[in-house]
Amino acid sequence: MPEMLQIIIPAGKDIKTCILDFLVGHGIENALIIGAIGSAQDIRIAAPVEHDLPLRTAEVPYTVACEIVGFTGEVMKWDAVDPDLAAMYPDKGDPLFVHIHVAAAMAGGHVFGGGFRGGKSFRSLRVFLLPL
C-alpha cells in the first residue's frame, strides 16, 4: 500500500501551485488527493451552467475566508485524461492534470463547493495524498 503524504501550504500561498510543485519535485505523476484540513481564501470553483452534455462550466469566485470541509481529487499526466474532461480545463500548460472537488464553509455556516479552480491558503492548509 502506498504511503500517505502531506503537503503543508503556508498562509497566502497558491494552493494549486503548491500541490503541483510538491508533486513535480517528488516525481509523482499519478495520485489520489484524499482530503485536506485548514483554511483558504479567494477560492474559485467551476460550476455547471446547464443540464446537457458535454458539460459546460463557469468559474465562480468566493472572495471570503473559509474552512475546508471536503477536498478530494486525482492527479495524472495529461495524456491519461478523458478528452471530454480535459476540454473543460483551461490550464493545459500545467505539468500535470489536477482534478479536485472542494467544499468549504464560510461565515454563518454556509457551505459552497464545486470543481476547484484555485485559491490561497488562509492560515494554513494540509493536503493529504496517496501516490499511485
Side-chain angles (χ1 to χ4, degrees), residues 2-127:
E3 180 183 344
M4 183 186 72
L5 302 174
Q6 68 175 334
I7 305 166
I8 298 175
I9 302 173
K13 296 293 185 180
D14 184 84
I15 296 165
K16 188 174 168 198
T17 299
C18 288
I19 291 170
L20 281 166
D21 288 350
F22 180 90
L23 293 168
V24 170
H26 287 83
I28 299 168
E29 295 180 329
N30 197 7
L32 292 175
I33 295 173
I34 58 173
I37 190 161
S39 55
Q41 62 186 352
D42 301 327
I43 288 181
R44 299 179 324 279
I45 63 162
V49 295
E50 59 193 15
H51 298 287
D52 298 312
L53 295 175
L55 185 63
R56 287 187 330 112
T57 62
E59 193 168 285
V60 180
Y62 287 86
T63 57
V64 297
C66 55
E67 290 290 329
I68 300 297
V69 296
F71 198 83
T72 59
E74 59 188 349
V75 177
M76 64 188 78
K77 295 193 306 188
W78 280 100
D79 61 3
V81 180
D82 177 281
D84 291 332
L85 182 58
M88 294 186 298
Y89 279 75
D91 43 10
K92 292 178 186 64
D94 287 347
L96 296 166
F97 173 69
V98 178
H99 178 206
I100 299 170
H101 291 180
V102 63
M106 59 185 170
H110 302 281
V111 175
F112 64 90
F116 181 76
R117 287 289 171 89
K120 293 186 267 183
S121 175
F122 182 51
R123 193 181 65 78
S124 72
L125 184 68
R126 289 174 54 201
V127 178

